[in-house]
Amino acid sequence: MPAQLVPPVGAIQIRLRPMVAEDEAGWNETRQRNAAWLAPWDSNDPMHGPALTFNTWLQHQRSDEAAGSGALFVIEYQMAIIGQISVGAISYGSSRCGNIGYWVDQGHAGHGVAPLAVAMLADWAMFSPNGPRLHRLEITMLPENQRSRRVAEKLQAHHEGMRLKSMYIHHQWRDHDVYSLLAEDAPHGFTQRLLG
């Protein structure tokens, strides 16, 4: 896991860095301020398990990182948390794939933050010597999530169709559109391709 990921000069100067326990107040404030904005896309636990505290959730993330099955970053802009991005469900062996998830503060939406963050994460996950060296990354979204669809389209991701009942959202299993990024799509990196 790198200490941080930064974009090239000329791009919006966000920073991706691993989440730490000291982020609890800033992360909670950003999530609470964006509760209504993010609510339509929030997933639930179909087994109705107990809610996790921030520290317990972060410990689960650290375990995933240690096992190589996931990585979680905050998205910062001007030293403030404006979102989160992760790669999870990492599979090695013959598939070498993972799933990207992200959210961005409403006040920063529409300014290129999410596409840049996904491109930076894809470059780390696919090409960095200290990343998992994946071949394929998936971005899935509810069909009505037009903002996420635009992120995938800006990244020139492949639309692969619908995954039926793939995630539990608002107490029901929901279909998700599937987009993919493949390592050979951007041999010089997704960030470079995005910024053109």
Side-chain angles (χ1 to χ4, degrees):
M1 173 80 79
Q4 65 178 350
L5 303 173
V6 294
V9 174
I12 184 170
Q13 288 303 295
I14 61 171
R15 174 173 81 143
L16 309 186
R17 63 162 178 81
M19 188 180 288
V20 295
E22 292 76 18
D23 289 324
E24 181 174 7
W27 186 89
N28 282 334
E29 188 278 327
T30 305
R31 282 293 299 193
Q32 289 167 0
R33 184 167 25 86
N34 287 276
W37 164 253
L38 299 172
W41 326 117
D42 279 344
S43 58
N44 310 102
D45 178 4
M47 304 308 289
H48 309 292
L52 298 177
T53 66
F54 181 88
N55 284 332
T56 301
W57 173 66
L58 190 56
Q59 288 171 5
H60 286 294
Q61 300 301 322
R62 289 287 106 83
S63 294
D64 288 348
E65 290 164 4
S69 61
L72 172 69
F73 299 85
V74 293
I75 305 170
E76 281 188 331
Y77 179 66
Q78 296 180 342
M79 304 301 290
I81 294 172
I82 63 165
Q84 171 188 310
I85 189 165
S86 62
V87 57
I90 292 176
S91 176
Y92 294 96
S94 59
S95 60
R96 302 203 72 82
C97 64
N99 298 330
I100 291 181
Y102 56 87
W103 59 265
V104 172
D105 171 81
Q106 184 174 9
H108 292 86
H111 298 286
V113 170
L116 180 57
V118 172
M120 291 165 59
L121 182 63
D123 287 345
W124 171 77
M126 291 181 168
F127 307 121
S128 175
N130 65 347
R133 303 302 296 261
L134 303 180
H135 171 256
R136 172 188 171 87
L137 289 166
E138 289 187 1
I139 305 168
T140 65
M141 65 203 66
L142 291 169
E144 64 269 25
N145 190 341
Q146 293 302 315
R147 285 192 177 276
S148 273
R149 186 177 314 285
R150 283 195 293 277
V151 169
E153 290 169 350
K154 286 179 182 178
L155 291 163
Q156 300 175 48
H158 306 277
H159 182 235
E160 297 187 344
M162 188 75 67
R163 183 171 294 147
L164 301 179
K165 310 295 183 193
S166 67
M167 193 173 293
Y168 200 68
I169 308 283
H170 291 292
H171 311 292
Q172 59 181 322
W173 289 102
R174 295 288 313 274
D175 299 346
H176 278 63
D177 270 322
V178 179
Y179 287 80
S180 66
L181 299 171
L182 306 175
E184 57 264 34
D185 292 340
H188 302 292
F190 289 93
T191 303
Q192 182 175 327
R193 186 172 80 165
L194 175 69
L195 298 175

